[in-house]
Amino acid sequence: MKKKLSLVLAGAMLMASLTGCGGGSAQTATTAAAKSDAAAPAESEAKADTATSDVKPELNLIIASNQTSLENPYSYGMDKFKEVVEDKSGGKIQVTVHKGTLGENENELIEKLEMGAASMVVASPGFMTAIGVPEVDMFSLNYLFNSFDHWEKCMDGEFGDKMKETVKEKTGNNFRIMAYWSSSVRDYYGKKPVTKPEDLKGMTIRTQSSQVQQDFWKACGAIPTSVAWGELYQALQQGVVDSAENDYTSFMLKEHHKTQNGHYISETHHDYTTRLLLMNGSFYDGLTDEQKAWIDEGVEECTKEEREVVYRMFKESKEKVIADGAEVTNFEDVDIDAFKALALPIQDKFAQDNNMTAELEMIRAAAE
C-alpha cells in the first residue's frame, strides 16, 4: 500500500511540475474531468456575470466532497467557492463542483487529488495517517474541544497554523491545507439510548477508521466496526451494526434515524469535527500571484459560508430528527465526565507518542 501511495504521490508531483508557473494549461486531467461532467447541471450552477461569459478560462478547477446531498454544509461551501472565484477572476477561472460524484469514499477523493483529477477536496484528517502524517490524528481525538468557539479559536490560531506546516513538510507539499471546515459535533445513535460508557458494552458501533477513535470506543466497551458511509443506512436497518456516531445533519440527511438501529440518539458531543479543504501544494505554488489571490479569497469566503451553515443546520437537523420520531437524550442527561475520563488518557498518550505535548497544551489552554 505504501509503495502504491508513494508512486501516486510521485506522479502528482510530476504533474504539478509540468503545469508550469503560469497555470494556463493546468491539470489536463482536471480539465478533461470537468468537461465530462458538464452534462450534470445539478452538480454546479454557473454564476458568473453574463458580461464575462465569453471570457475563455485560463484555469479549470474541480472541487469535490464525498457528500451527495445538496443540503450538506460542504455543498454550500463548495458552491460559494465557485461563485466567488469565478466572479473575482472575471471568468478566467472556471470551477466545477462534484457532490459525491467523484466518490463517496474519501480515499477515492484523495486519489483523485493525487492524480490531478481533482483540484481541491474536502476530507477528514484520518487518511493522512496511512501516508506518513500521524500527527493529523490529533484532530480525531475525542473531547479535544468543548465548543464550536473553542474549535474555531484553535483552528484559526497558532495550533491550526502549526498543523498546516506539519502537513506541508511531511507530504513534501503534495497536500496543502487551504482551510479548516467542520461537519458539526458528533453524537452516538443506535438501537438503545446510552448515558454512560458502560451502556455501550458489547455493542458494535460504526465509527471512523482513526486509531484514536477506535481506542476510545473500545475503552467504552464497544466494538468498533468498519462500514462504508454509503452502506450504513442498510447496515443499521438490517442490524449489521448496533449503532453509529455522527453529527445530526449528516445522519439526518441520510435518514439513519429512521432505521431500526438508529432510532435513539444520545448527545455525547464527543467530537467537534475538523475537515480539511486540501489542494496540491506544488500545483498551487505554480499558479500566478493573481490566480492565487482569487483562490485565496474564494477559500476565505467559502469557509465562512460552510461554518455558518454547519452551525445553523445543527439546530434545524435536531428539530427534524425529533419531528421524525427519533428519541433524543440531551447533552445534560449524559454523563459527559465519565466519557471524558476515558478520552483524556488517550489524548495524553497520543501527544506523547507523536511529540505533540506542546500542541495539546495549546488546545487545552485555549479552552480556559
Side-chain angles (χ1 to χ4, degrees):
M1 180 66 178
K2 288 184 178 179
K3 182 177 180 181
K4 177 184 176 183
L5 285 168
S6 297
L7 290 171
V8 174
L9 284 170
M13 293 179 69
L14 177 60
M15 288 187 68
S17 67
L18 291 174
T19 62
C21 295
S25 59
Q27 291 185 302
T28 302
T30 299
T31 305
K35 290 180 179 178
S36 69
D37 196 54
E43 281 301 304
S44 178
E45 297 181 5
K47 296 182 180 179
D49 291 336
T50 55
T52 63
S53 61
D54 294 332
V55 176
K56 183 178 181 180
E58 61 187 40
L59 183 65
N60 292 281
L61 299 178
I62 285 179
I63 184 170
S65 82
N66 69 332
Q67 297 294 319
T68 57
S69 172
L70 303 183
E71 296 301 311
N72 187 279
Y74 299 168
S75 296
Y76 284 93
M78 294 190 300
D79 284 344
K80 175 60 73 171
F81 178 78
K82 173 183 172 66
E83 175 189 339
V84 173
V85 170
E86 292 187 348
D87 177 60
K88 295 299 179 182
S89 71
K92 291 181 181 179
I93 298 181
Q94 177 180 308
V95 180
T96 300
V97 178
H98 282 272
K99 301 169 184 176
T101 51
L102 281 187
E104 288 192 65
N105 187 321
E106 289 183 340
N107 289 337
E108 294 178 73
L109 296 183
I110 297 307
E111 288 182 3
K112 296 289 196 306
L113 181 63
E114 291 170 338
M115 293 186 297
S119 315
M120 301 175 73
V121 300
V122 184
S124 56
F127 76 92
M128 282 193 173
T129 60
I131 57 174
V133 195
E135 292 89 347
V136 297
D137 222 14
M138 177 168 249
F139 292 122
S140 302
L141 290 167
N142 284 333
Y143 294 103
L144 188 63
F145 306 106
N146 57 26
S147 68
F148 288 122
D149 287 342
H150 182 207
W151 175 83
E152 278 202 13
K153 186 177 180 180
C154 293
M155 293 303 103
D156 298 336
E158 183 181 5
F159 172 73
D161 290 341
K162 179 67 182 297
M163 295 305 293
K164 286 181 180 180
E165 287 301 315
T166 297
V167 169
K168 179 180 178 180
E169 178 184 343
K170 286 295 191 75
T171 66
N173 203 28
N174 282 290
F175 291 101
R176 180 189 184 98
I177 298 176
M178 302 297 290
Y180 296 106
W181 285 12
S182 174
S183 60
S184 197
V185 60
R186 296 171 81 100
D187 295 309
Y188 158 95
Y189 57 102
K191 67 179 184 180
K192 68 175 186 178
V194 302
T195 59
K196 55 188 182 302
E198 301 92 279
D199 295 337
L200 286 155
K201 186 175 181 180
M203 290 181 62
T204 54
I205 183 167
R206 185 272 183 185
T207 189
Q208 302 169 76
S209 59
S210 161
Q211 186 60 53
V212 294
Q213 283 276 343
Q214 297 199 10
D215 288 345
F216 172 78
W217 294 108
K218 287 177 183 177
C220 293
I223 305 167
T225 305
S226 178
V227 177
W229 177 246
E231 299 171 4
L232 184 52
Y233 179 95
Q234 187 175 15
L236 289 165
Q237 182 64 24
Q238 296 181 352
V240 175
V241 291
D242 297 322
S243 60
E245 51 84 37
N246 217 310
D247 66 280
Y248 272 116
T249 298
S250 292
F251 68 73
M252 180 275 291
L253 290 172
K254 287 291 188 178
E255 299 190 331
H256 291 174
H257 60 290
K258 295 182 178 181
T259 65
Q260 171 183 301
N261 283 359
H263 180 72
Y264 295 96
I265 299 144
S266 295
E267 293 185 337
T268 47
H269 284 11
H270 54 271
D271 182 9
Y272 285 87
T273 56
T274 302
R275 294 296 176 262
L276 309 178
L277 181 60
L278 295 166
M279 196 171 196
N280 182 290
S282 298
F283 171 70
Y284 176 85
D285 289 345
L287 301 175
T288 66
D289 289 343
E290 187 176 46
Q291 290 169 338
K292 289 178 185 176
W294 293 329
I295 291 172
D296 290 347
E297 188 166 356
V299 166
E300 181 179 354
E301 291 300 316
C302 75
T303 298
K304 289 179 184 177
E305 176 80 3
E306 196 273 344
R307 292 181 184 180
E308 287 174 1
V309 173
V310 164
Y311 305 151
R312 170 175 58 81
M313 290 191 70
F314 171 79
K315 181 175 182 293
E316 294 176 358
S317 298
K318 178 177 178 177
E319 292 172 349
K320 176 67 165 60
V321 162
I322 293 173
D324 286 339
E327 298 187 36
V328 174
T329 301
N330 290 315
F331 179 77
E332 296 79 9
D333 298 317
V334 177
D335 189 351
I336 299 299
D337 288 340
F339 283 103
K340 282 186 176 180
L342 298 177
L344 292 179
I346 296 173
Q347 293 179 13
D348 292 335
K349 184 177 186 304
F350 174 85
Q352 184 176 3
D353 291 347
N354 293 278
N355 194 29
M356 298 189 73
T357 301
E359 286 80 359
L360 180 58
E361 289 306 316
M362 282 181 200
I363 293 172
R364 289 176 175 173
E368 297 175 356

